[in-house]
Each structure stands twice: as C-alpha cells, then as structure tokens.
C-alpha cells in the first residue's frame, strides 16, 4: 500500500491534481477512454433530427461507422489533398468493391509484419486524401448553388443525395462477409475504410454540416 501524499497548501494540491490528470491523459488507458468519449459524443451528435424534411432516421450502423477513425496524420494524406497529386495508383481503391486482384498488387511482406501494415496505413491515408479533396469540391459546389436553387429545390436535391449514398452504403455493407472471409487483410482494410468514409459523408449531408 502506498502512502497518500500530503499537500500543505491549496496551490500544491491543485498543481498535484493537474499533474496527475496530465499523466492519465497521456497514458494508454487515458487515451483509450478519451477515444471512447469522443466516439460516443459523435454518435450522440448524429442522433438529432435532420434539417432536411421527409428523411427517415439514419440506420444505427451508419451512425456507428461514421465514427470510424480515418487516417489524416500521414504526410501522403496532405499531399493527396492538393491538385497535382498523382492519384492514378490509388483510384481503384476509391471505387466500390469488388477489389479485383488484377487491379492491385499485394505488398511484398507477410500479413503479420509491421511493414505490411505500414503499407496499408499509407494506402488508406492516400485514398482518404483523394476522397476528401473530391468531397471538398463537391461541398463547395453545394454551398455555391444552394442560394441559387432556393430552399425547396435544395431540400429535394440533398434528400436524393442522401438516398443515393445510403443505397450505395447498404450495398457495401452487404459485402461484409465476403470481404471478411477473403483472407486478404489489405482488401478488408480498404473495405472498412470505404464503409467508414461513406458513412461519414452521408452524415455530413444528412445534417447539412458542410453549410455550417
């Protein structure tokens, strides 16, 4: 049993409390707890009603996958956001499955090596950057056209956009088992990325977040 440290003044007690709090936040347990709180906060934020009339509540699976962690820390993510980036090696992964072996090459590492998963991480980051760049252009177009379209036509347009993306998401979700059982970690990781990315894009339109 450890002895509880005594603090003679309120200032010392407050300083010790701050130090302990920082240590916990930087620990693996603290980081995990923070990630769980953030995910729960995002889910709660997305359970409100859409400002677009006549839209049914989003499926729980879509809301859950909208919290999927997308990689934004790799340098290649920032590179992919800008014009001039050579996205030709990655475009196959931005399209819906099936991801055919004839269109990509497995990394020359075993599935259980750090090098393999680093390759997957870089690939996900590049694809995310390409998708985000396209999405930003699309949302900029929406913001520009919404005043011109007027409230009524804008609501119709965004409602159809949500419906179309939901149908696409459901088709992806239906292919879960085939990707999980394919014994191809790269293909499954990219499937997860696409499902998470599409769920997030659905929420952004459903709640008109890009207009805020």
């Amino acid at each position: 049993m450890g002895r509880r440290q005594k603090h003679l003044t309120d200032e010392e007690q407050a300083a010790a409390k701050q130090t302990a709090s920082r240590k916990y936040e930087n620990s693996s347990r603290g980081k995990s707890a923070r990630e769980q709180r953030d995910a729960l906060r995002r889910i709660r934020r997305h359970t409100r009603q859409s400002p677009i009339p006549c839209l049914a509540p989003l499926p729980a699976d879509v809301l859950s996958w909208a919290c999927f962690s997308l990689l934004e820390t790799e340098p290649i993510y920032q590179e992919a956001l800008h014009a001039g980036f050579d996205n030709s090696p990655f475009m196959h992964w931005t399209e819906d499955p099936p991801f055919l072996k004839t269109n990509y090459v497995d990394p020359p590492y075993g599935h259980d090596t750090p090098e393999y998963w680093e390759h997957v991480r870089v690939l996900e980051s590049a694809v995310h950057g390409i998708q985000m760049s396209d999405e930003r252009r699309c949302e900029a177009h929406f913001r520009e056209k919404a005043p011109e379209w007027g409230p009524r036509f804008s609501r119709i347009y965004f409602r159809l956009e949500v419906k179309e993306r939901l149908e696409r998401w459901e088709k992806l979700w239906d292919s879960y088992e085939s990707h999980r059982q394919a014994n191809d970690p790269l293909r499954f990781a990219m499937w997860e990325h696409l499902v998470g990315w599409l769920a997030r894009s659905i929420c952004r339109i459903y709640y008109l977040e890009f207009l805020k």
Side-chain angles (χ1 to χ4, degrees), residues 20-34:
S21 178
R22 283 195 297 268
K23 286 183 178 179
Y24 175 75
E25 288 178 356
N26 292 325
S27 68
S28 58
R29 186 175 180 181
K31 291 178 181 178
S32 176
R34 186 165 61 251

Side-chain angles (χ1 to χ4, degrees), residues 54-65:
C54 304
L55 272 180
L58 287 176
D61 285 334
V62 172
L63 294 173
S64 178
W65 276 92

